[in-house]
């Protein structure tokens, strides 16, 4: 019920999501569309972004747990802890939930953390490295790996600026939307620099 893509480099973290929410579980070939304009991203503060894919109602409950805190001072690490603690208390549809948390970590470098219901919301964190990009994605009803390999990774070497990153991520979501009717091409973007 969605696609989310994240790229973190040594100087930025960008996320793009589609906007489609469908009724779960999806029955047959045509999903029942609830809305086409739901952003699945949240800029927590100037250092932290959160995005999600999967069971939207469960994911929103998890992400809304951040509202119990002064988000202006939340570190990426504290954001991950809050999301994990809340996620462990929320029941998700069989499609599950995948959360991506990216941005500037407590030590100042950019990191990308992935946590999902399929792995008990155990955080998997990677630091950005000079000259390389962290590229991660999630999609509820499609394997995201081949799209990242075919549409995003080959373009990364040619990126000259953030517009190139946005075009590449948009094109990846568009390719997924061609085959997966739970994804659309209403793009939502957030950036931390």
């Amino acid at each position: 019920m969605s696609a989310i893509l994240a790229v973190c480099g040594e100087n930025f973290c960008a996320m793009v999501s589609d906007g489609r929410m469908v009724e779960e579980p999806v029955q047959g070939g045509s999903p029942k569309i609830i809305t086409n304009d739901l952003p699945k991203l949240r800029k927590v503060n100037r250092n932290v972004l959160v995005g999600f894919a999967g069971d939207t109602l469960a994911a929103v409950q998890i992400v809304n747990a951040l509202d119990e805190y002064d988000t202006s001072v939340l570190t990426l690490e504290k954001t991950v802890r809050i999301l994990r603690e809340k996620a462990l208390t929320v029941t998700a549809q069989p499609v599950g939930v995948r959360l991506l948390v990216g941005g500037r970590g407590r030590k100042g470098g950019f990191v990308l953390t992935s946590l999902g219901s399929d792995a008990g919301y155990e955080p998997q964190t990677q630091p950005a490295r000079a000259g390389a990009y962290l590229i991660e994605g999630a999609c509820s009803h499609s394997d995201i790996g081949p799209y990242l390999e075919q549409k995003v990774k080959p373009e990364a070497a040619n990126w000259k600026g953030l517009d190139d990153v946005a075009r590449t991520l948009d094109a990846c979501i568009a390719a997924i939307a061609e085959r997966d009717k739970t994804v659309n091409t209403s793009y939502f973007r957030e950036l931390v620099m």
Side-chain angles (χ1 to χ4, degrees), residues 42-50 63 66 71-72 74 79:
R42 179 172 176 185
K43 188 168 188 172
V44 176
N45 57 41
R46 66 185 191 90
N47 291 316
V48 182
L49 302 174
V50 175
V63 174
L66 298 173
T71 58
S72 68
L74 285 179
T79 300

Side-chain angles (χ1 to χ4, degrees), residues 15-27:
M15 287 190 190
V16 176
S17 82
D18 78 315
R20 182 163 286 171
M21 178 182 176
V22 301
E23 186 176 278
E24 288 289 347
V26 173
Q27 306 282 330

Side-chain angles (χ1 to χ4, degrees), residues 67-132:
D67 294 335
E68 297 174 23
Y69 298 84
D70 178 359
T71 58
S72 68
V73 296
L74 285 179
T75 63
L76 185 137
E77 295 81 2
K78 178 68 174 178
T79 300
V80 169
R81 278 193 302 277
I82 293 166
L83 294 173
R84 181 165 195 261
E85 287 171 9
K86 180 63 176 182
L88 293 171
T89 70
V90 174
T91 302
Q93 292 280 337
V95 71
V97 174
R98 180 81 177 268
L99 301 165
L100 299 178
V101 183
R104 197 177 294 279
R106 191 173 40 241
K107 294 182 180 178
F110 282 88
V111 299
L112 184 58
T113 299
S114 169
L115 49 159
S117 55
D118 60 334
Y121 296 104
E122 191 61 41
Q124 302 297 315
T125 301
Q126 300 176 60
R129 298 181 315 274

Side-chain angles (χ1 to χ4, degrees), residues 7 9 11-16 133 159-170 189-193:
V7 173
N11 299 313
F12 75 94
C13 184
M15 287 190 190
V16 176
Y133 296 103
W159 288 340
K160 303 272 188 269
L162 293 172
D163 287 341
D164 295 332
V165 174
R167 269 192 297 280
T168 300
L169 297 181
D170 290 355
R189 299 178 193 90
E190 289 291 351
L191 175 68
V192 167
M193 295 182 70

